[in-house]
Amino acid sequence: MTSPSSPELDRLIRQLFGAVERQDLPATLAMLADDAVMADPHYPNPTMRGKAEIEAGLRWGFGSMQKFGFPIEQIYFAPDGQSAAVEVATHHILKVGMHLRFPQMFAVEMRNGKITRLQAYEPYGPHGIAGAVLVITRVVKALQRGKTRLNRR
């Protein structure tokens, strides 16, 4: 782990992820600024603005998870000491027992000792029409490569 360039932000990040892992809603909300923004495509409202929307989103998340897991791999601090990128090895367990494991990044910003922004970035490709076009393009290319290999024999 990198030594923190911002001990206050480092502490706040670790406390925030710990509170979410414990599903401690009051502790989580206490670390957020009143005008905080939380963005995560896993939630019904992918961009939550303000504590009321974030609280509703977290209640939904806590209701669907048996266990949140955010083991921190690395924290990359910005020179301003007020923002960082956090790399985690996410491991959640749904209430139905299913394990979800994937790498994830978070952008975190702080002002006056409170989190003002928490934005999740997942390693998924595009969704919707763009995702469908990409999948079709990859399948066509794979088929073309297979046809080329057969023609060489």
Side-chain angles (χ1 to χ4, degrees), residues 52-72:
E53 287 185 13
I54 294 170
E55 179 178 357
L58 289 172
R59 284 186 188 283
W60 174 85
F62 292 168
S64 63
M65 289 291 175
Q66 176 182 330
K67 181 181 180 303
F68 280 96
F70 293 106
I72 295 173

Side-chain angles (χ1 to χ4, degrees), residues 3-16 31 75 77 80-84 108-115:
S3 62
S5 63
S6 174
E8 181 182 23
L9 182 56
D10 182 74
R11 175 190 54 76
L12 194 57
I13 288 168
R14 293 176 191 284
Q15 286 178 343
L16 180 72
M31 290 179 249
I75 301 176
F77 294 93
D80 67 4
Q82 302 297 298
S83 55
V108 181
E109 294 176 4
M110 172 185 77
R111 181 183 69 239
N112 299 324
K114 299 278 188 174
I115 298 292

Side-chain angles (χ1 to χ4, degrees), residues 35-50:
D35 62 346
V37 174
M38 186 172 114
D40 190 327
H42 292 122
Y43 286 78
N45 179 3
T47 303
M48 296 157 273
R49 298 179 189 286

Side-chain angles (χ1 to χ4, degrees), residues 6-143:
S6 174
E8 181 182 23
L9 182 56
D10 182 74
R11 175 190 54 76
L12 194 57
I13 288 168
R14 293 176 191 284
Q15 286 178 343
L16 180 72
F17 282 104
V20 172
E21 287 177 331
R22 293 188 312 276
Q23 297 190 24
D24 185 340
L25 186 59
T28 302
L29 293 172
M31 290 179 249
L32 301 175
D34 290 339
D35 62 346
V37 174
M38 186 172 114
D40 190 327
H42 292 122
Y43 286 78
N45 179 3
T47 303
M48 296 157 273
R49 298 179 189 286
K51 281 190 177 181
E53 287 185 13
I54 294 170
E55 179 178 357
L58 289 172
R59 284 186 188 283
W60 174 85
F62 292 168
S64 63
M65 289 291 175
Q66 176 182 330
K67 181 181 180 303
F68 280 96
F70 293 106
I72 295 173
E73 297 285 320
Q74 184 76 293
I75 301 176
Y76 305 92
F77 294 93
D80 67 4
Q82 302 297 298
S83 55
V86 183
E87 181 181 7
V88 299
T90 302
H91 179 195
H92 301 325
I93 304 172
L94 297 173
K95 285 201 171 173
V96 296
M98 183 178 174
H99 289 250
L100 304 175
R101 291 185 171 112
F102 53 94
Q104 193 171 13
M105 294 289 293
F106 289 89
V108 181
E109 294 176 4
M110 172 185 77
R111 181 183 69 239
N112 299 324
K114 299 278 188 174
I115 298 292
T116 58
R117 176 176 167 237
L118 179 67
Q119 183 160 355
Y121 293 91
E122 286 79 17
Y124 312 135
H127 302 286
I129 294 290
V133 169
L134 183 59
V135 166
I136 292 167
T137 301
R138 288 178 178 163
V139 168
V140 168
K141 287 188 179 288
L143 291 172

